[in-house]
Amino acid sequence: MSLQAYIDIFVWLLRPIPIPENPRLTSQDVTVVIPSIEGDGDVLWETICSILATEPFEIILVTIDANTTRAQLMVKSMGTSKIRIRSVANPNKRRQMVCAIPEIQTDITVFADDDVLWPPRLLSWMLAPLEDEGYGGVGTNQRLRRAESPNPQQRVYRYLNALYLERRNFDCASCMYMDGGLPCLSGRTVAYRSSVLKDDAFIRGFTNEEWLGRYQLNADDDNFITRWLLSHDKKISFQYHKEAEVLTTLEDNPNFTAWGTRDGADDDDAYRMIRVSSKQQEVSNVQVHERFLHRGEKCEYGFPTQIFNPNDTE
């Protein structure tokens, strides 16, 4: 049995932090930020409807200037006053996220991708750990959205995608049980304390992260924020529960493996994972080593295993 298989047994021992009987935080303490390039479409419509069903305080949809009108038309047709639209000049997820931060009026911020589906009680489960002021971020369980009438090739890629997400759920649950750490709080749907995001030092670091001191990093926002929380003594949580499970999409075509053939493919999940892994893992390994190993504090299970498998990153 491999080391990872042995450790993944701990997934069955993890229990999520329960929803309190009289919670201090409610869905009205949550603002949901959705970065989206297109700003409209059937998938985004479904995403927003599933989020609205959880009754957050509001949703901020951040698109690009060229697609603002499309976003406005879609939101108008939805007949709700809970959605505000903001935009940036060019596609850049980190810049889109930061664009919304000054607009947030609630104690908790949830970032969500524009292709996820939420279960009705998701916010209740995500807020449970944040009742403790020591927690700065909460991650979610994830599954692949089912496709309608996939062809044989798509079935193969979707099988690989489903395995990836399932393995990641096991990894996160095992890490959380063993030492309270995680490989990464996935940005597909994740909750943060708004005060962390509004810190000027955080915003400067988030929008100016570089690799080798020369190349600005725009992808892997979730890796940066996870490292930031850990380096600022904030606890993180992973709610491994069916009612905290979001559905998401991944590439189900040859782009799944086209990791070295093109640039600017930030929406291609498999390509993104491989393209940024070497850069982000180098940063993560150095920071985790300095922060945790030298000081004798707890270290994530994801750190030692990813040394031997450097392309294994969120």
Side-chain angles (χ1 to χ4, degrees):
M1 181 183 292
S2 68
L3 172 63
Q4 181 160 335
Y6 176 78
I7 295 177
D8 280 348
I9 294 174
F10 288 111
V11 71
W12 308 112
L13 302 176
L14 178 70
R15 295 293 181 268
I17 296 176
I19 301 172
E21 291 185 8
N22 299 298
R24 176 177 57 86
L25 296 171
T26 71
S27 62
Q28 290 303 295
D29 295 301
V30 176
T31 296
V32 182
V33 177
I34 308 175
S36 174
I37 296 177
E38 291 80 8
D40 70 348
D42 292 341
V43 174
L44 178 57
W45 177 289
E46 293 174 354
T47 294
I48 292 177
C49 287
S50 73
I51 293 174
L52 285 173
T54 66
E55 300 183 342
F57 176 74
E58 69 174 344
I59 296 173
I60 302 178
L61 176 63
V62 188
T63 185
I64 59 174
D65 294 344
N67 292 334
T68 301
T69 300
R70 292 168 57 183
Q72 290 172 338
L73 291 173
M74 183 194 69
V75 170
K76 183 178 180 180
S77 68
M78 299 185 81
T80 178
S81 60
K82 283 197 168 187
I83 306 174
R84 287 194 287 159
I85 298 172
R86 295 294 181 266
S87 66
V88 297
N90 301 304
N92 183 311
K93 188 177 181 183
R94 293 200 190 197
R95 298 286 177 178
Q96 288 172 262
M97 294 165 70
V98 169
C99 174
I101 289 175
E103 308 278 341
I104 295 169
Q105 305 173 44
T106 56
D107 291 338
I108 306 300
T109 300
V110 174
F111 288 113
D113 280 358
D114 60 0
D115 61 349
V116 296
L117 290 178
W118 284 16
R121 301 193 69 200
L122 178 65
L123 287 183
S124 296
W125 282 101
M126 295 185 77
L127 291 173
L130 295 168
E131 293 282 328
D132 180 345
E133 292 289 339
Y135 280 88
V138 180
T140 54
N141 204 29
Q142 299 168 2
R143 291 286 187 275
L144 191 68
R145 292 179 63 171
R146 290 186 176 274
E148 295 183 6
S149 304
N151 60 44
Q153 183 187 63
Q154 288 175 320
R155 289 180 184 274
V156 172
Y157 288 117
R158 291 184 64 79
Y159 174 73
L160 296 174
N161 288 332
L163 287 179
Y164 160 69
L165 291 175
E166 189 65 40
R167 181 199 59 77
R168 189 185 188 285
N169 290 335
F170 274 36
D171 277 359
C172 289
S174 299
C175 291
M176 186 57 55
Y177 178 81
M178 291 176 64
D179 64 8
L182 284 178
C184 175
L185 287 172
S186 172
R188 293 186 181 94
T189 294
V190 59
Y192 299 114
R193 208 169 289 282
S194 299
S195 57
V196 172
L197 305 177
K198 292 188 175 186
D199 183 351
D200 291 339
F202 167 82
I203 293 176
R204 283 195 302 272
F206 188 61
T207 54
N208 294 283
E209 186 180 17
E210 293 181 340
W211 180 56
L212 299 180
R214 297 174 56 190
Y215 307 104
Q216 184 168 353
L217 293 175
N218 295 325
D220 259 27
D221 48 276
D222 44 12
N223 269 309
F224 178 93
I225 303 178
T226 302
R227 291 196 304 270
W228 183 273
L229 293 174
L230 293 174
S231 66
H232 288 75
D233 298 321
K234 290 293 185 181
K235 294 186 289 185
I236 57 178
S237 179
F238 177 73
Q239 291 292 70
Y240 190 66
H241 191 278
K242 186 68 175 178
E243 292 184 335
E245 179 181 285
V246 301
L247 300 181
T248 186
T249 63
L250 292 170
E251 291 281 0
D252 58 3
N253 54 56
N255 287 336
F256 180 85
T257 55
W259 61 269
T261 59
R262 51 200 173 83
D263 295 322
D266 285 341
D267 289 331
D268 181 334
D269 292 271
Y271 181 87
R272 177 180 66 86
M273 286 187 286
I274 299 172
R275 176 169 53 85
V276 300
S277 63
S278 61
K279 304 180 183 67
Q280 284 290 346
Q281 197 59 45
E282 177 181 323
V283 176
S284 295
N285 287 350
V286 170
Q287 291 192 2
V288 170
H289 184 267
E290 291 178 348
R291 176 65 178 171
F292 299 103
L293 299 187
H294 282 177
R295 294 183 56 183
E297 298 180 24
K298 63 186 178 182
C299 178
E300 300 173 82
Y301 153 61
F303 170 71
T305 60
Q306 288 177 2
I307 291 177
F308 301 102
N309 187 8
N311 283 340
D312 184 16
T313 182
E314 176 51 28

